[in-house]
Amino acid sequence: MSTKLKVVLASLALIVLIVGGFAAYTWSALKISYSSGDRSGYVQKLSKKGWVCKTWEGEMAMVSMPGTAPEIFHFSVRDEAVAARINQALGKRVAIHYEQHKGVPTKCFGESEYFITDVRVAE
């Protein structure tokens, strides 16, 4: 084998390793959750955002005691069915279930690290 062919093959192998490593890292960041839990409050905003990668992004106002300033919880929704259920519940008190994914490499999967997986209207 010539030296040029060895360099080309080594370069291709390096590119495949880098792309494969990035793909494996992205997959694991999206599949393995750092934490999960529930939060309740009033969803005050849900919109589909992005130039190329459209994602559902929202805000929920969480009020701990009447008369106090609400804490704003920013979240992303990847499932269209869950986004539709959140849209139907706008203005109502809801409980949402989230999974926190740290280290997601791009904003293409969501602007927040909190991904909503379920929503239910609170009584």
Side-chain angles (χ1 to χ4, degrees):
M1 254 190 334
S2 71
T3 306
K4 277 188 175 183
L5 184 59
K6 287 180 182 178
V7 170
V8 169
L9 288 177
S11 298
L12 285 175
L14 182 62
I15 290 171
V16 167
L17 279 172
I18 290 170
V19 170
F22 182 74
Y25 173 78
T26 301
W27 179 86
S28 66
L30 290 171
K31 293 296 179 191
I32 301 169
S33 67
Y34 175 75
S35 70
S36 64
D38 294 313
R39 295 200 179 188
S40 64
Y42 297 90
V43 175
Q44 59 187 21
K45 179 181 171 186
L46 184 66
S47 59
K48 200 162 193 177
K49 297 170 84 175
W51 293 106
V52 176
C53 301
K54 300 283 188 185
T55 60
W56 287 97
E57 304 298 327
E59 294 179 354
M60 183 172 68
M62 300 184 306
V63 180
S64 57
M65 289 188 289
T68 61
E71 178 185 345
I72 303 298
F73 176 65
H74 297 274
F75 59 86
S76 299
V77 183
R78 293 176 38 199
D79 187 351
E80 291 288 331
V82 173
R85 290 189 1 237
I86 292 173
N87 266 326
Q88 290 174 348
L90 285 175
K92 300 175 185 171
R93 186 171 177 85
V94 296
I96 58 174
H97 182 76
Y98 68 89
E99 291 181 353
Q100 183 181 12
H101 295 270
K102 289 190 168 279
V104 176
T106 69
K107 300 278 186 197
C108 223
F109 300 103
E111 293 181 5
S112 167
E113 61 184 33
Y114 297 98
F115 295 94
I116 305 306
T117 58
D118 193 23
V119 61
R120 63 189 182 283
V121 176
E123 298 300 324

